[in-house]
Amino acid sequence: MTSRAYSFLLAGFVMISGCIDSRSADSDGRESSASGFAFTDITEEAGLGQFHHDNGGFGEAWAPEIVGSGGGFIDYDGDGWLDILLVGGGRFRERPNGRVQGLWLFRNQGDGTFVETTHEAGLGDIETYGFGIVVADFDNDGDEDFFLTTLYENMLFRNDGGVFTEVGREAGVAGPEEWSTSAMFFDADRDGHLDLYVGNYVDWSPDKDIYCEYEGEKVYCTPQEYTGIPSRFYQNNGDGTFTERTEEAGFIPIPGKVFGVVELDYNQDGWSDLYIAEDTERDLLYENRGDGTFEERGVRAGVAFDSHGRPRAGMGADAGVVDTTGEVTLFVGNFSHETVGVYRHVRDGLFMDHVAGSKLGHPSLMTLTFGLFLFDVDLDGDLDLLTANGHVQTHIQKVHEMVTFRQPTQLYLNDGFGLFDEVDSEGTVLARPLVARGAAYADFDKDGDLDVLLTENHGPAHLWRNDLIGPDRPSSGWVKIRLQGTESNRDAIGARLVGKAAQRVMDRRVRTGSSYLSQSEKAVVFGVGETERLDSLRVYWPSGRIDHFADVPAGQEILIIEGEGTLRIPAEEGSLSTQLTRR
């Protein structure tokens, strides 16, 4: 074993205490808990079984093969039902040995099933080596577009009535041929037009591939052997085009090797900040100065390194208010023998390493986490955590007996105070070992609870239906809020929603990015329990406008249009009733 191949394997263990919550398993293999939720794998019956990601591997262990791909949710035809978009992987240009379907689009039929519509939507002839997607209405025309990161030129797909046209070069965001990973649309300058941050990884090409070996065979090298490349920032010109302003906005110099990107507003000044998870380099925190430029302050803020001052292998990341302090906490997936990173904002731009206090240390120590997101899985009003795990070296168990290549997904329930207990996964879909990469959530069946989509490297996708809401359970313990900007960007990306039900205060954001290479639903779901309403709702729009509502009814999907002062509540299929609610 060479030092190159295993410099990423840490010599010691950091044992951090945590506890496992006791749960039971139903006889049909679904997961049940005291909170009453259950995941059911419906991949095949939903019509997603034909998808398979292809990493292009041909026995030479080229570095991009380990990254996998993402996927997520997009309402491409505007019918109100979330469709599924998956990245198929690709073939290396230097190995033209067959074709890989680069993108897969599945239309939601509204009955729990999907039908593939890739070719009908104009995506059937996409040949590249793709990684991640991010979905948003970048041109404010009322339909959802998406951006695809690749090993080569990146691609921007403009949606024109349910049919996509690739406009990356025309729009100015294709960039040079370089290895891009996670991307994010956000409104950096609050001008009502979504800008684009594109995370880049390392300077790799076949002629720069580094040879590492184990027991005489070539294996994947640690990213420490490669040079990172800077990410790119594109400012939206408001006419369907972008101008690259990476250096002017303050995003250079950076170490590169980006895997996760998160939008947040940790100082609550109304301007979108960015957190960047980097692989074997220090993580970054960009504070928005309020003029479209950013200051990097990860080291000063206390989020750049672990508690021992070392960089970790940052993968997927997310951020949210998970306790009663009202302050945001950052979560970062890391390598095996590293724990999930947890940093809670304390005050004045300073964060505290909170992994021990969160109880996430010990149960996350042996896993390698790529996808990671916060969501209210049991609709009790607080944000829970899901981590999608899987290693990069097929022979890892020969080196470390307690670390496997295929790993189970982990779900942690929040007690409302930022303490997380791992759900006992025995006999459930969570226990199935996967080589997981992308992870996203959405209420695809419109029953109020949040379902899960996972992707595997060189493998299938998995759709897990959350059966919290069903025929034997109350159906009104939730409120879904969808925003439409007028002065703000149409998707209201960067909006903050604060809901109150009984004595619980819930703080949420409308965002793209987060997790790993994937796109979750942009609507905000509040769990309200038995109160059957939000006592109050406050919407902080990116434009600076603030709307107040009272007595927001539960069991409803509600549309709020900026400046109207009304709640639009779906009454029947194809119609809307309008209700004015004042505080």
Side-chain angles (χ1 to χ4, degrees):
M1 177 173 60
T2 67
S3 59
R4 280 182 171 179
Y6 285 99
S7 60
F8 64 86
L9 296 174
L10 302 181
F13 294 90
V14 182
M15 301 305 293
I16 302 176
S17 63
C19 73
I20 305 298
D21 194 14
S22 176
R23 297 292 188 267
S24 62
D26 293 335
S27 58
D28 62 358
R30 300 186 307 170
E31 175 198 355
S32 62
S33 77
S35 300
F37 67 90
F39 282 131
T40 304
D41 187 342
I42 62 166
T43 309
E44 292 291 337
E45 65 186 80
L48 305 179
Q50 69 266 44
F51 171 81
H52 188 279
H53 170 257
D54 190 331
N55 68 6
F58 59 99
E60 290 299 316
W62 281 4
E65 296 168 14
I66 66 175
V67 172
S69 66
F73 297 92
I74 176 174
D75 182 9
Y76 83 96
D77 53 2
D79 65 353
W81 292 88
L82 288 170
D83 312 300
I84 289 178
L85 179 64
L86 297 170
V87 181
R91 289 273 190 258
F92 296 103
R93 289 179 178 172
E94 296 77 9
R95 301 283 300 185
N97 55 341
R99 181 181 181 275
V100 173
Q101 184 171 322
L103 291 166
W104 297 65
L105 180 64
F106 297 88
R107 181 172 58 83
N108 192 332
Q109 300 190 93
D111 59 359
T113 67
F114 295 79
V115 60
E116 190 189 348
T117 55
T118 309
H119 289 269
E120 296 91 319
L123 301 176
D125 297 323
I126 305 303
E127 293 192 38
T128 186
Y129 195 111
F131 295 114
I133 61 166
V134 58
V135 175
D137 182 5
F138 81 89
D139 51 5
N140 288 333
D141 68 348
D143 47 29
E144 294 204 305
D145 317 293
F146 73 94
F147 183 78
L148 173 69
T149 62
T150 83
L151 188 61
Y152 307 117
E153 284 190 359
N154 294 320
M155 297 181 169
L156 177 64
F157 292 88
R158 187 187 66 218
N159 188 345
D160 298 307
V163 177
F164 291 96
T165 302
E166 203 287 304
V167 295
R169 288 187 182 181
E170 173 187 330
V173 294
E177 292 195 354
E178 57 192 7
W179 185 347
S180 299
T181 53
S182 290
M184 175 174 62
F185 283 112
F186 73 116
D187 191 353
D189 48 11
R190 289 170 52 178
D191 65 350
H193 302 286
L194 290 174
D195 310 301
L196 178 65
Y197 180 91
V198 182
N200 285 332
Y201 195 51
V202 299
D203 185 15
W204 179 91
S205 63
D207 61 338
K208 296 178 181 178
D209 189 68
I210 298 172
Y211 186 89
C212 296
E213 68 173 32
Y214 173 75
E215 294 184 345
E217 293 186 5
K218 187 175 188 295
V219 296
Y220 303 110
C221 293
T222 170
Q224 291 160 321
E225 298 297 326
Y226 292 97
T227 301
I229 53 177
S231 300
R232 297 185 183 273
F233 171 73
Y234 300 94
Q235 186 178 57
N236 193 326
N237 299 320
D239 60 359
T241 68
F242 295 76
T243 300
E244 185 182 350
R245 295 183 53 83
T246 309
E247 187 170 1
E248 299 92 324
F251 291 113
I252 291 181
I254 64 168
K257 305 182 184 178
V258 171
F259 263 160
V261 296
V262 182
E263 187 273 348
L264 70 161
D265 180 14
Y266 70 89
N267 53 8
Q268 297 186 20
D269 64 354
W271 295 86
S272 291
D273 310 308
L274 274 66
Y275 178 77
I276 311 297
E278 305 226 341
D279 190 5
T280 70
E281 301 284 355
R282 61 184 173 88
D283 294 333
L284 308 171
L285 180 66
Y286 286 101
E287 182 177 302
N288 194 326
R289 291 171 170 165
D291 58 2
T293 67
F294 295 79
E295 177 186 4
E296 204 287 298
R297 46 178 296 117
V299 173
R300 282 176 291 168
V303 299
F305 304 107
D306 68 10
S307 59
H308 300 284
R310 299 174 302 200
R312 292 189 280 193
M315 312 291 185
D318 204 354
V321 177
V322 298
D323 54 30
T324 59
T325 66
E327 299 289 349
V328 69
T329 300
L330 287 161
F331 297 81
V332 191
N334 290 305
F335 213 81
S336 53
H337 294 171
E338 300 172 342
T339 68
V340 166
V342 184
Y343 305 96
R344 187 175 69 189
H345 185 246
V346 181
R347 65 181 185 282
D348 302 326
L350 298 176
F351 288 75
M352 174 183 67
D353 190 318
H354 194 57
V355 66
S358 68
K359 302 199 300 182
L360 288 169
H362 176 67
S364 68
L365 184 61
M366 293 300 176
T367 56
L368 197 169
T369 297
F370 278 89
L372 174 154
F373 57 73
L374 295 164
F375 70 142
D376 188 358
V377 67
D378 50 6
L379 296 180
D380 64 352
D382 54 45
L383 292 174
D384 310 298
L385 179 71
L386 183 140
T387 64
N389 308 314
H391 214 278
V392 298
Q393 301 285 8
T394 58
H395 57 275
I396 187 62
Q397 201 162 11
K398 295 181 181 179
V399 183
H400 286 278
E401 184 178 353
M402 298 180 66
V403 180
T404 59
F405 176 58
R406 305 181 70 85
Q407 300 177 0
T409 302
Q410 293 171 291
L411 178 65
Y412 302 91
L413 294 183
N414 187 353
D415 71 347
F417 298 93
L419 299 176
F420 292 83
D421 290 323
E422 184 183 4
V423 169
D424 183 359
S425 63
E426 183 177 357
T428 74
V429 294
L430 291 167
R432 296 175 185 172
L434 308 176
V435 189
R437 294 296 186 260
Y441 66 85
D443 176 19
F444 82 87
D445 51 4
K446 301 180 74 168
D447 66 352
D449 51 31
L450 296 171
D451 313 294
V452 171
L453 177 71
L454 302 173
T455 64
E456 287 198 70
N457 187 35
H458 205 62
H462 304 272
L463 182 61
W464 294 348
R465 188 183 64 215
N466 186 345
D467 292 323
L468 173 66
I469 303 299
D472 300 324
R473 304 184 190 280
S475 59
S476 57
W478 56 276
V479 179
K480 181 187 291 188
I481 305 295
R482 190 176 302 279
L483 301 182
Q484 181 178 312
T486 52
E487 184 179 350
S488 303
N489 66 85
R490 185 178 174 89
D491 281 348
I493 303 299
R496 178 188 178 202
L497 296 86
V498 180
K500 184 175 181 181
Q503 298 303 311
R504 183 180 294 279
V505 177
M506 295 164 282
D507 196 320
R508 307 286 189 265
R509 293 185 70 78
V510 179
R511 297 179 302 176
T512 64
S514 299
S515 192
Y516 176 75
L517 306 179
S518 299
Q519 176 69 54
S520 293
E521 182 176 7
K522 295 190 291 291
V524 170
V525 174
F526 291 102
V528 299
E530 298 179 355
T531 63
E532 297 191 351
R533 72 179 189 282
L534 281 175
D535 298 324
S536 65
L537 173 65
R538 186 171 298 181
V539 180
Y540 297 84
W541 297 89
S543 65
R545 178 186 176 90
I546 303 174
D547 283 339
H548 306 263
F549 302 94
D551 296 321
V552 180
Q556 302 278 0
E557 179 176 334
I558 294 171
L559 173 67
I560 301 176
I561 299 176
E562 184 178 16
E564 280 194 355
T566 63
L567 304 176
R568 294 193 175 199
I569 305 172
E572 298 177 351
E573 189 72 26
S575 65
L576 287 173
S577 64
T578 301
Q579 173 180 328
L580 176 63
T581 310
R582 299 186 182 277
R583 190 181 179 200

